[in-house]
Amino acid sequence: MLPANPLKKCLLIPLYMLLLSPVSKAQPAPQDSFEIELFHHTAKDSERVDILNKASRAYFTKDAQVAEKYANEALGLSSQLHYMNGRIWAQRNLALVENTRGHLDKQMQLTLSSLKLAESINDQHTLSILYNDMGNIFTEQNSPRDALPYLLKSLQIKKNLHELSEISKTLNNIGSAYLALHVLDSSLLYLHEAEALKLSQNDRRGLAYTYENLGLVAMLQYRLEDALHYHQLSAECYREADNQLGMVKSSLNLAEVQTFMGDLANAEKNLQHAHAINGVLKNVKNEMIYYKIRYELDSARNDYRAALNNYKAYTERNLEFFNLEKSRLISRSQEKYEAEKKQKENILLKKEQQIHLATIQQQRILVISATILFIALLAITFMLYRMFKKQKQLTRELNSKNQEVSLQNHIILEQNTTLESLNQVKDKIFSVISHDLRSPLAILEGLLFLLRDERITQEQFKFYADELWRDVKNTSYMMDNMLQWASNQMKGIGVKADDFDILLLLNQEFELLQTLAKQKEVSLQHELSGSLTVYADPEMIRMVLRNLISNAIKFTQGGGKINVSARIDRTFAEIIVRDNGTGIPLENQHRIFSNIYYSTTGTRNEKGCGLGLHLSKDFVERNRGRIWFHSTPGSGSSFSFTVPLSDEADTNPRGYTVIIQDQGSNGMTVVK
């Protein structure tokens, strides 16, 4: 049996949050009888809609595709018949189908649509169930505080209606919400109350969810024997109801508990069983949980290589799930913006149409009046004159309104441009964090966990140390670039120019980069004949030098050379960073220094965020310089930039050259 320690209890917390799911999904399931009823009842009426909805409800835990087919047919027929109740339940069944697939955003949209219809007809029974569904969705989205108001509202309505079966489901769901909040005493209070009601009604399908939640509470309290007992009861109830999704969850729960109890053989069997069923259901969240438990099981077997691979698979799916949720959020925001924009355009068009209709009506009145009062020419002339003045005034007012609308449109366009720029900054930051920064941190977390738990030796850890150090160093440089770029994009960076010796600044950066160069066995040197005083922002020039030199190291193979030199051209100093690395492909050279954020992996798969050269160009130009490059694929690259010389430049040469390269244990040679 594995030793008990607080770290394992901490590992249970994110897992039970992923395993929480709606518990009001138990239903009677006489599918064959529904199929017979549909076969005999062919009339396209509300009775057939009710049969279709019941059949969909019966199938959704066993065959989601069949349930979706019946729900879609019920929805279409309800729309034709204008049968409100049938439409509500059809949309609710489609929402439950999306839940089995892990599509919580689609489930939320369908449930909200049903809830609005139910509120319009004030159907209390339906409202209680839909409020219960809303609470379940928020619990699954790790927002239990948002779930509790809906669940408590649902419970109050069900108690008013004296619906004991429905009351037990909502009690169970409130227990799930408190479980997600980690308020275990309150969770147990509601779960035991739900258990008593379901036992009194012999509701085996409902007991499956309650036992599952009681098992999760026991796992958090590290009562492993109780957790195993409750999960076994839950698995038995799910099998009796032929609930495929429930069987996947119960198998994962059993595997988790058995892993911590040291029963690794049965844990393996339950994991394989869950993986086989989920292969048909294709629930992305359960697949993520599978790799999480597989990683824990391999760690318990001391198979650390397999554990690391499974942990990587878990983090990859976690990142995919995060990026998918982020894309859906952005898509919904864009759709909302477009809808509001169209609504404003429709309001403007409606106002213009009303103005045109008013003008036409006035013209008709004018024609009728002219016909009736033809004999009274003077009166007609006077009336025409009055109407002409009024129409002219309306025209002026209309022109004034058009100018106001034009000004508002101009303001809206400027705001849209600003929002698009901010969205680009946000998307770039999310992209770097979710892909380039989280991956090395996740790998570091996994290795440190194995080392801390004494499941990997110091020698095994040192095997990965060099590659891990390089990844962390590159990540640090990427973070510097990203923060500088984001600050520059969102509020701008002021230039703080001053006189400084660029040689001293270059030596400081060499001290930081020599370890990185030594690790790749790359010779790193600079040749400056003496003090070189320039007038610029030293921190900006430091960032330019760091980006150019680190890029050269990134794309230079072992044994290669990197040389930094300088020359003076009247009022400017030109700094050249030259390497004999891989060079830049001709088809990609046009992307350098452009607004297209371009990044490729280095000779040892080093990553970048694509901001370094773009940021360097911006900093050089802000300091009244320019930057350019020459590159030959396969032979290396040369990047040059200019910086203004100081008016008080020191012309006394110091006459020394610093060479930093890999020379055995010494690591650095200084030649003066």
Short mmCIF file of all heavy atoms in Angstrom, two decimals, residues 55 112 153-154 185 210 294 299 314 328 353 356 405 418 454 475 500 646:
data_model
loop_
_atom_site.label_atom_id
_atom_site.label_comp_id
_atom_site.label_asym_id
_atom_site.label_seq_id
_atom_site.Cartn_x
_atom_site.Cartn_y
_atom_site.Cartn_z
N ALA A 55 -38.68 8.74 -25.35
CA ALA A 55 -37.70 7.80 -25.92
C ALA A 55 -36.29 8.40 -25.89
O ALA A 55 -35.32 7.72 -25.56
CB ALA A 55 -38.10 7.45 -27.35
N LEU A 112 -30.54 27.15 -21.52
CA LEU A 112 -31.03 28.51 -21.37
C LEU A 112 -32.22 28.79 -22.28
O LEU A 112 -33.18 29.45 -21.90
CB LEU A 112 -29.90 29.51 -21.67
CG LEU A 112 -28.91 29.78 -20.54
CD1 LEU A 112 -27.76 30.64 -21.03
CD2 LEU A 112 -29.59 30.44 -19.36
N LYS A 153 -33.09 27.22 -5.60
CA LYS A 153 -34.37 27.64 -6.17
C LYS A 153 -35.16 26.44 -6.66
O LYS A 153 -36.37 26.32 -6.46
CB LYS A 153 -34.11 28.62 -7.32
CG LYS A 153 -35.33 29.38 -7.78
CD LYS A 153 -34.93 30.46 -8.78
CE LYS A 153 -36.12 31.30 -9.20
NZ LYS A 153 -35.72 32.36 -10.15
N SER A 154 -34.45 25.49 -7.32
CA SER A 154 -35.09 24.26 -7.79
C SER A 154 -35.64 23.45 -6.62
O SER A 154 -36.76 22.93 -6.67
CB SER A 154 -34.08 23.43 -8.58
OG SER A 154 -34.60 22.16 -8.90
N ASP A 185 -18.57 18.99 5.20
CA ASP A 185 -19.64 18.73 6.18
C ASP A 185 -21.00 19.02 5.56
O ASP A 185 -21.95 18.22 5.69
CB ASP A 185 -19.43 19.59 7.42
CG ASP A 185 -18.20 19.16 8.22
OD1 ASP A 185 -17.79 18.00 8.05
OD2 ASP A 185 -17.69 19.98 8.99
N THR A 210 -25.53 9.37 -6.03
CA THR A 210 -25.29 9.72 -4.63
C THR A 210 -24.10 8.94 -4.08
O THR A 210 -23.25 9.49 -3.38
CB THR A 210 -26.55 9.44 -3.80
OG1 THR A 210 -27.64 10.18 -4.33
CG2 THR A 210 -26.34 9.83 -2.35
N ARG A 294 -3.75 7.19 -15.09
CA ARG A 294 -2.72 6.32 -15.64
C ARG A 294 -1.34 6.78 -15.18
O ARG A 294 -0.47 5.95 -14.87
CB ARG A 294 -2.84 6.34 -17.17
CG ARG A 294 -1.72 5.63 -17.90
CD ARG A 294 -1.69 4.15 -17.65
NE ARG A 294 -2.84 3.45 -18.20
CZ ARG A 294 -3.09 2.18 -18.02
NH1 ARG A 294 -2.25 1.44 -17.27
NH2 ARG A 294 -4.17 1.61 -18.51
N SER A 299 3.34 5.77 -11.69
CA SER A 299 4.23 6.24 -10.61
C SER A 299 4.25 5.23 -9.47
O SER A 299 5.30 4.96 -8.89
CB SER A 299 3.76 7.60 -10.11
OG SER A 299 3.83 8.57 -11.12
N TYR A 314 -1.61 13.91 -20.45
CA TYR A 314 -2.65 14.59 -19.66
C TYR A 314 -2.56 16.10 -19.84
O TYR A 314 -3.57 16.77 -20.06
CB TYR A 314 -2.48 14.22 -18.20
CG TYR A 314 -3.20 15.13 -17.24
CD1 TYR A 314 -4.58 15.13 -17.15
CD2 TYR A 314 -2.48 16.01 -16.44
CE1 TYR A 314 -5.24 15.99 -16.27
CE2 TYR A 314 -3.12 16.86 -15.57
CZ TYR A 314 -4.50 16.84 -15.48
OH TYR A 314 -5.14 17.69 -14.62
N ARG A 328 -14.16 28.97 -27.86
CA ARG A 328 -15.61 29.10 -27.81
C ARG A 328 -16.02 30.42 -27.15
O ARG A 328 -16.98 31.06 -27.58
CB ARG A 328 -16.20 27.93 -27.02
CG ARG A 328 -16.09 26.60 -27.78
CD ARG A 328 -16.48 25.44 -26.89
NE ARG A 328 -16.42 24.17 -27.63
CZ ARG A 328 -16.48 22.98 -27.06
NH1 ARG A 328 -16.59 22.88 -25.75
NH2 ARG A 328 -16.42 21.89 -27.78
N GLN A 353 -36.38 55.21 -42.35
CA GLN A 353 -37.62 54.84 -43.03
C GLN A 353 -38.80 55.65 -42.50
O GLN A 353 -39.66 56.08 -43.28
CB GLN A 353 -37.88 53.34 -42.83
CG GLN A 353 -39.07 52.82 -43.62
CD GLN A 353 -39.27 51.33 -43.42
OE1 GLN A 353 -38.69 50.74 -42.52
NE2 GLN A 353 -40.09 50.73 -44.26
N HIS A 356 -38.65 59.05 -44.06
CA HIS A 356 -39.10 59.01 -45.46
C HIS A 356 -40.61 58.86 -45.55
O HIS A 356 -41.27 59.51 -46.39
CB HIS A 356 -38.40 57.88 -46.20
CG HIS A 356 -36.94 58.11 -46.44
ND1 HIS A 356 -36.45 59.29 -46.97
CD2 HIS A 356 -35.85 57.33 -46.23
CE1 HIS A 356 -35.14 59.23 -47.07
NE2 HIS A 356 -34.75 58.04 -46.62
N VAL A 405 -24.74 60.95 -37.05
CA VAL A 405 -24.57 59.50 -37.26
C VAL A 405 -23.19 59.20 -37.83
O VAL A 405 -22.51 58.24 -37.44
CB VAL A 405 -25.67 58.96 -38.17
CG1 VAL A 405 -25.39 57.51 -38.56
CG2 VAL A 405 -27.04 59.05 -37.48
N THR A 418 -9.13 50.00 -31.84
CA THR A 418 -8.46 49.83 -30.54
C THR A 418 -8.74 48.45 -29.96
O THR A 418 -7.84 47.78 -29.44
CB THR A 418 -8.94 50.92 -29.57
OG1 THR A 418 -8.69 52.20 -30.14
CG2 THR A 418 -8.22 50.80 -28.23
N GLU A 454 10.71 10.98 -3.93
CA GLU A 454 11.79 9.97 -3.95
C GLU A 454 11.43 8.79 -4.85
O GLU A 454 11.72 7.63 -4.56
CB GLU A 454 12.09 9.50 -2.53
CG GLU A 454 12.56 10.62 -1.61
CD GLU A 454 12.91 10.12 -0.21
OE1 GLU A 454 12.69 8.91 0.06
OE2 GLU A 454 13.40 10.91 0.58
N THR A 475 12.52 29.99 -21.72
CA THR A 475 11.20 30.48 -21.25
C THR A 475 11.35 31.84 -20.57
O THR A 475 10.51 32.73 -20.74
CB THR A 475 10.59 29.47 -20.28
OG1 THR A 475 10.44 28.20 -20.95
CG2 THR A 475 9.22 29.93 -19.81
N PHE A 500 26.24 55.86 -22.11
CA PHE A 500 26.74 54.66 -21.45
C PHE A 500 27.73 53.95 -22.35
O PHE A 500 27.72 54.12 -23.58
CB PHE A 500 25.59 53.72 -21.07
CG PHE A 500 24.88 53.10 -22.22
CD1 PHE A 500 25.23 51.83 -22.69
CD2 PHE A 500 23.85 53.79 -22.86
CE1 PHE A 500 24.56 51.27 -23.76
CE2 PHE A 500 23.18 53.23 -23.94
CZ PHE A 500 23.54 51.98 -24.38
N SER A 646 27.77 59.05 -28.42
CA SER A 646 27.65 60.12 -27.43
C SER A 646 28.49 61.32 -27.87
O SER A 646 29.55 61.17 -28.51
CB SER A 646 28.10 59.62 -26.06
OG SER A 646 28.19 60.70 -25.16
#
